[in-house]
Coordinates of all heavy atoms in Angstrom, one line a residue:
E490 N 110.8 96.4 138.4 CA 111.1 95.7 139.4 C 112.4 95.9 140.1 O 112.5 95.8 141.3 CB 110.7 94.2 139.2 CG 109.3 93.8 138.7 CD 108.4 94.0 140.1 OE1 109.0 93.9 141.2 OE2 107.3 94.4 139.8
A491 N 113.4 96.2 139.4 CA 114.7 96.3 139.9 C 114.7 97.7 140.9 O 115.3 97.7 141.9 CB 115.8 96.6 139.0
F492 N 114.0 98.7 140.3 CA 113.8 99.9 141.1 C 113.1 99.6 142.3 O 113.4 100.1 143.6 CB 113.3 101.0 140.3 CG 113.1 102.4 141.0 CD1 114.2 103.3 141.1 CD2 111.8 102.6 141.7 CE1 114.0 104.5 141.7 CE2 111.8 103.9 142.5 CZ 113.0 104.7 142.5
I493 N 112.0 98.8 142.3 CA 111.2 98.5 143.5 C 112.1 97.8 144.5 O 111.9 98.2 145.7 CB 110.0 97.7 143.2 CG1 109.0 98.5 142.2 CG2 109.4 97.1 144.4 CD1 107.8 97.8 141.7
A494 N 112.9 96.9 144.0 CA 113.7 96.1 144.9 C 114.7 97.1 145.7 O 114.9 97.0 147.0 CB 114.5 95.1 144.2
R495 N 115.3 98.2 144.9 CA 116.1 99.0 145.6 C 115.3 99.9 146.6 O 115.9 100.1 147.6 CB 116.7 100.0 144.5 CG 117.8 99.2 143.5 CD 118.7 100.1 143.0 NE 118.0 101.1 142.0 CZ 117.6 100.8 140.8 NH1 117.7 99.6 140.3 NH2 117.0 101.8 140.1
A496 N 114.2 100.3 146.2 CA 113.4 101.1 147.2 C 113.1 100.3 148.4 O 113.1 100.9 149.6 CB 112.0 101.5 146.5
E497 N 112.6 99.0 148.3 CA 112.4 98.3 149.5 C 113.6 98.2 150.5 O 113.6 98.3 151.6 CB 111.9 96.9 149.1 CG 110.6 96.8 148.5 CD 110.1 95.3 148.2 OE1 110.8 94.7 147.4 OE2 109.1 95.0 148.7
Q498 N 114.6 98.0 149.8 CA 115.9 97.8 150.6 C 116.2 99.2 151.2 O 116.7 99.3 152.5 CB 117.0 97.4 149.8 CG 118.5 97.3 150.5 CD 118.4 96.3 151.7 OE1 117.8 95.3 151.6 NE2 119.1 96.5 152.7
A499 N 116.2 100.3 150.5 CA 116.6 101.6 151.0 C 115.7 102.0 152.1 O 116.1 102.5 153.1 CB 116.5 102.5 149.8
Y500 N 114.3 101.8 152.0 CA 113.4 102.3 153.0 C 113.5 101.3 154.2 O 113.4 101.9 155.4 CB 112.0 102.4 152.5 CG 111.6 103.7 151.7 CD1 111.4 103.7 150.5 CD2 111.5 104.8 152.5 CE1 111.0 105.0 149.8 CE2 111.2 106.0 152.0 CZ 110.9 106.1 150.5 OH 110.6 107.4 149.9
A501 N 113.8 100.1 154.0 CA 114.1 99.3 155.1 C 115.1 99.6 155.9 O 115.2 99.8 157.2 CB 114.2 97.9 154.7
Q502 N 116.2 100.1 155.3 CA 117.4 100.5 155.9 C 117.1 101.9 156.6 O 117.7 102.1 158.0 CB 118.5 100.8 154.9 CG 120.0 100.8 155.5 CD 120.4 99.5 155.9 OE1 120.0 98.4 155.7 NE2 121.3 99.4 156.8
A503 N 116.3 102.8 156.1 CA 115.9 104.0 156.7 C 114.8 103.8 157.8 O 114.6 104.7 158.6 CB 115.4 105.0 155.6

Side-chain angles (χ1 to χ4, degrees):
E490 288 299 329
F492 183 85
I493 290 173
R495 294 198 299 276
E497 288 184 300
Q498 179 61 33
Y500 273 115
Q502 205 63 27

